[in-house]
């Protein structure tokens, strides 16, 4: 059990692990210390409202955790408005929408896990947008992105930025296929043909003349 503020660098680091922002009200967080993999592995966190909290509520909270009854708290940005979802051709995911979108059994879903400060991510961004435009007509494939520094997701190992993962259509839990090749749209399209569950034609249908 640890009581922490935000005054020292160590306390700020602990607050970051717990997902606490500077403007947050007092928060009680249980941080799971199980081992994980990946440089950016996210520890699971569980929260209880701190307002008016009593000792009995904390005991019940810990008991529910030990019995596996609690749902992990995940950091998430606000969900984008419908008109913002595909504003630049690439769909926007946040922590609260990630699971439903990527686990859709009827769709292949490609996700770019990026960091806004990452130079490699900024260089890759126009190529990824070009891929989305190229395959916009493919209704069985969703090309998405998520800011992995401001949103947390479960069961995905991020080894660096950007990390691009395909969640092929199929039964849950869907398998994950990590992309390691060239980031040119043409090469990524070839890779998608090989790994997507639902076959598609990468050539857009001809527009009717008239």
């Amino acid at each position: 059990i640890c009581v922490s503020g935000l005054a020292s660098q160590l306390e700020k680091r602990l607050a970051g692990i717990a997902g606490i922002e500077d403007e947050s009200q007092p928060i009680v967080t249980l941080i799971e210390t199980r081992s994980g993999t990946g440089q950016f592995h996210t520890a699971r966190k569980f929260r209880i409202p701190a307002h008016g909290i009593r000792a009995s509520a904390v005991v019940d909270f810990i008991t529910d955790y030990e019995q596996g009854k609690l749902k992990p708290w995940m950091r998430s940005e606000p969900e984008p408005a419908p008109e913002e979802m595909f504003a630049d051709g690439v769909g926007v995911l946040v922590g609260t929408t990630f699971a439903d979108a990527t686990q859709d059994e009827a769709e292949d879903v490609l996700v770019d896990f990026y960091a806004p400060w990452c130079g490699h991510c900024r260089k890759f961004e126009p190529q990824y947008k070009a891929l989305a435009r190229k395959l916009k007509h493919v209704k069985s494939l969703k090309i998405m992105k998520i800011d992995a520094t401001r949103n947390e997701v479960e069961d995905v190992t991020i080894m660096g930025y950007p990390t691009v993962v395909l969640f092929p259509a199929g039964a849950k839990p869907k398998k994950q296929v990590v992309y390691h090749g060239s980031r040119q749209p043409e090469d990524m399209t070839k890779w998608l043909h090989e790994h997507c569950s639902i076959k598609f034609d990468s050539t857009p249908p001809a527009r009717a003349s008239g």
Side-chain angles (χ1 to χ4, degrees):
I1 298 176
C2 174
V3 178
S4 176
L6 292 168
S8 70
Q9 288 300 316
L10 181 60
E11 287 177 320
K12 290 179 180 178
R13 172 59 180 157
L14 179 59
I17 295 173
I20 297 172
E21 306 288 348
D22 288 351
E23 66 272 14
S24 296
Q25 297 297 315
I27 293 172
V28 177
T29 304
L30 187 156
I31 303 176
E32 196 172 70
T33 57
R34 65 177 183 174
S35 61
T37 58
Q39 182 180 357
F40 302 101
H41 171 73
T42 300
R44 295 208 307 171
K45 296 172 284 291
F46 303 85
R47 285 189 175 181
I48 179 174
H51 181 70
I53 194 169
R54 296 178 179 272
S56 58
V58 176
V59 172
D60 292 342
F61 172 68
I62 295 175
T63 300
D64 288 344
Y65 167 76
E66 292 175 338
Q67 295 177 354
K69 296 180 180 180
L70 298 182
K71 183 178 180 180
W73 177 89
M74 310 295 287
R75 178 192 282 119
S76 178
E77 294 179 289
E79 295 184 13
E83 63 271 16
E84 299 173 334
M85 268 293 295
F86 291 90
D88 62 1
V90 177
V92 178
L93 295 176
V94 296
T96 53
T97 63
F98 177 84
D100 286 344
T102 58
Q103 295 301 309
D104 188 330
E105 298 182 358
E107 294 180 338
D108 294 297
V109 184
L110 186 69
V111 182
D112 170 27
F113 295 85
Y114 72 94
W117 45 258
C118 170
H120 295 294
C121 297
R122 290 195 292 269
K123 184 177 179 181
F124 175 51
E125 184 177 10
Q127 297 169 317
Y128 199 60
K129 288 181 179 179
L131 175 69
R133 290 193 299 268
K134 176 181 175 67
L135 300 179
K136 183 178 180 180
H137 65 283
V138 181
K139 302 305 180 184
S140 61
L141 172 65
K142 293 292 184 290
I143 297 179
M144 316 293 287
K145 65 180 179 180
I146 185 168
D147 181 346
T149 68
R150 298 192 59 81
N151 300 278
E152 296 174 344
V153 301
E154 282 197 280
D155 302 321
V156 179
T157 298
I158 307 299
M159 299 300 294
Y161 299 125
T163 291
V164 179
V165 181
L166 174 68
F167 297 81
K172 304 174 185 177
K174 293 166 73 172
K175 67 178 182 178
Q176 302 174 23
V177 187
V178 182
Y179 183 72
H180 294 292
S182 161
R183 293 171 182 163
Q184 293 300 320
E186 295 78 11
D187 295 320
M188 296 190 72
T189 299
K190 292 178 183 177
W191 182 84
L192 287 169
H193 275 297
E194 295 174 3
H195 293 91
C196 283
S197 295
I198 303 174
K199 302 304 177 184
F200 63 89
D201 186 348
S202 54
T203 303
R207 294 183 178 180
S209 59

